[in-house]
Amino acid sequence: MSGQLGRIGQLGPLEQQLLARQLDEQTAAVFEADRTLRVLDVGLGRGVQALRLARAGHRVTGLESDPDLRDLVEKELADEPEEIRKRVRLVPGGSQDTGAHFLPGTFDVVLCHGELIQARDPGTTLAGLARVLDGGGLLSLLIRNDDALAMHPGRTGDWDAAQAALDFPERAGRAFRLETFTRGLAGIGTPLRQWYGVGIFGHDRLPEEDDEAERMLALEERAARTDPYRSVAAMLHVCGVRGG
């Protein structure tokens, strides 16, 4: 299952753009227009969403345990105008370290786009993410969809991976399913607001032609919110609001 586990950390351009559109939709629905948001990006990775949000005027803190990835983001920041560089702060640490670095209610938006799947105790980590959210704040999670693990390798003819996915044992507390996370979010006072599918049709590259790329994005975006298609996506983008 290592390929599936690593997939979230290596989102393609289409997936990143789709995630950005979904995130913008949720922030627009939850917060008033033109508000400068305090954002925490847990598992910063290459900083795609963090840099995008900083360019939009928000203050972003990136929590990342991998020094090489922090260096990559620092290099990206070096090419940005000073006003954008000032909006970004990088902090060494992993998803389990939010309580050690931040006080309760510090952020308006917390992103965790892949780190939960590697957490030793996802439930405790999830509670820690919600803890640093201010009241009415948005929690954005990207998780593996355990209900569809065999779909994508099976569709591409990777029979060994499909078989391994079907045989993948469900471990107590480690089931990455919408039902599980709906209960978990309610239990930590950050109930589910909306969820989307990501990676429904299995494409991770955008066509070079702008018209074709926009058509593909529009198709993925529509399917991402439509049953039953979103239920068989490779990943789920799950959004909750602190205090409901």
Side-chain angles (χ1 to χ4, degrees):
M1 296 306 298
S2 59
Q4 284 292 104
L5 293 174
R7 177 175 162 76
I8 289 182
Q10 300 173 4
L11 298 182
L14 184 145
E15 294 161 333
Q16 288 284 12
Q17 287 201 39
L18 184 66
L19 192 61
R21 292 187 180 195
Q22 295 167 355
L23 185 59
D24 286 349
E25 178 179 86
Q26 290 303 306
T27 54
V30 172
F31 304 103
E32 62 270 22
D34 301 323
R35 174 173 169 178
T36 298
L37 299 172
R38 302 165 296 163
V39 180
L40 174 63
D41 191 350
V42 178
L44 178 69
R46 296 177 176 272
V48 174
Q49 298 301 329
L51 290 171
R52 184 183 71 84
L53 291 167
R55 291 172 187 136
H58 305 298
R59 299 196 303 273
V60 182
T61 299
L63 187 64
E64 177 55 60
S65 59
D66 188 332
D68 292 334
L69 289 175
R70 291 199 305 272
D71 287 345
L72 281 175
V73 178
E74 289 279 14
K75 291 176 182 177
E76 290 283 345
L77 279 171
D79 294 329
E80 296 288 338
E82 183 180 2
E83 62 182 28
I84 294 176
R85 295 199 302 270
K86 287 181 177 179
R87 295 189 197 119
V88 181
R89 178 167 70 109
L90 303 184
V91 178
S95 59
Q96 74 280 355
D97 300 323
T98 53
H101 290 293
F102 312 113
L103 294 172
T106 300
F107 299 100
D108 303 304
V109 179
V110 173
L111 315 179
C112 188
H113 294 164
E115 282 289 293
L116 273 175
I117 205 167
Q118 300 175 17
R120 292 188 297 272
D121 184 346
T124 300
T125 300
L126 185 62
L129 298 175
R131 175 182 172 273
V132 298
L133 266 179
D134 203 355
L138 178 68
L139 180 60
S140 171
L141 309 171
L142 187 66
I143 62 171
R144 186 186 68 217
N145 182 11
D146 278 3
D147 284 330
L149 285 178
M151 285 288 298
H152 299 275
R155 195 175 60 215
T156 59
D158 187 346
W159 310 126
D160 289 339
Q163 184 65 56
L166 288 170
D167 294 339
F168 187 58
E170 180 177 329
R171 292 168 290 177
R174 294 298 300 268
F176 288 85
R177 292 185 164 92
L178 179 65
E179 181 182 0
T180 305
F181 272 78
T182 300
R183 291 198 305 267
L185 288 169
I188 59 172
T190 311
L192 179 72
R193 185 183 191 280
Q194 178 63 284
W195 68 281
Y196 308 87
V198 176
I200 294 171
F201 298 119
H203 301 292
D204 59 3
R205 295 182 181 179
L206 285 167
E208 294 183 4
E209 299 81 6
D210 290 343
D211 289 347
E212 191 67 16
E214 183 56 40
R215 184 180 180 188
M216 181 182 290
L217 271 168
L219 184 64
E220 286 275 357
E221 191 171 20
R222 181 177 176 184
R225 65 183 71 245
T226 303
D227 293 320
Y229 304 105
R230 61 179 178 169
S231 299
V232 295
M235 296 163 282
L236 302 178
H237 181 197
V238 179
C239 300
V241 172
R242 186 70 166 161

